[in-house]
Amino acid sequence: MATPVGELRILIVDDLQAARHTLRVLLTQIGIAHVDEARNGSEAKTSLKSAKYNAVICDWMMPEGSGLDLLKHIRSDAALKSTPFVMVTGNASRENVLEAVKNGITAYVVKPVTQEALRAALKKSLPQTF
């Protein structure tokens, strides 16, 4: 059974507070009220242990572990491996996209993130909901 949009729980992972704020605002505009934030992969791993998320939206470039590192961690964890993972980045090089796909990315959004792009990524990640 699909989770209604308003009941989705999303984890935003980005080292920049302004980027996390922008993503939170966009998610709220889409109708998602349950949003948690992490500043890096280490904080995200802690959050993922303590709560169940419908999706993770993560920046690629961060100190203390990249978004790709977090993606690999999630895909290698039996309890988390099916969690939809949306990568957000300013670098949409072919190599990066292929590396992300190879490691099980669900969707990819290029900065600056728009509401339409974020909605499309969530629709791809959570098709039963959108």
Side-chain angles (χ1 to χ4, degrees), residues 2 18 20 75 84 99 101-102 106:
R20 292 192 310 272
R75 293 298 179 247
E99 184 71 13
V101 168
K102 182 178 95 176
T106 312

Side-chain angles (χ1 to χ4, degrees), residues 3 18 53 91 128:
T3 303
Y53 293 96
N91 181 0
Q128 306 86 355

Side-chain angles (χ1 to χ4, degrees), residues 3-105:
T3 303
V5 171
E7 294 179 20
L8 291 174
R9 187 166 187 163
I10 306 293
L11 177 62
I12 297 170
V13 187
D14 198 306
D15 57 310
L16 299 176
Q17 193 280 327
R20 292 192 310 272
H21 175 76
T22 298
L23 287 168
R24 178 182 287 276
V25 168
L26 292 172
L27 289 168
T28 301
Q29 291 171 348
I30 292 170
I32 299 169
H34 305 290
V35 179
D36 292 337
E37 298 180 13
R39 294 176 296 164
N40 55 48
S42 178
E43 283 186 12
K45 289 174 187 176
T46 300
S47 294
L48 288 161
K49 287 178 186 173
S50 63
K52 171 88 170 101
Y53 293 96
N54 298 97
V56 173
I57 300 173
C58 184
D59 185 34
W60 185 295
M61 298 297 293
M62 299 181 294
E64 300 181 46
S66 69
L68 186 62
D69 293 334
L70 181 60
L71 172 63
K72 290 176 181 179
H73 168 79
I74 287 172
R75 293 298 179 247
S76 69
D77 185 314
L80 300 173
K81 68 180 176 183
S82 64
T83 304
F85 194 103
V86 177
M87 188 76 77
V88 178
T89 185
N91 181 0
S93 71
R94 186 178 196 287
E95 295 80 22
N96 281 2
V97 173
L98 291 174
E99 184 71 13
V101 168
K102 182 178 95 176
N103 284 284
I105 197 82

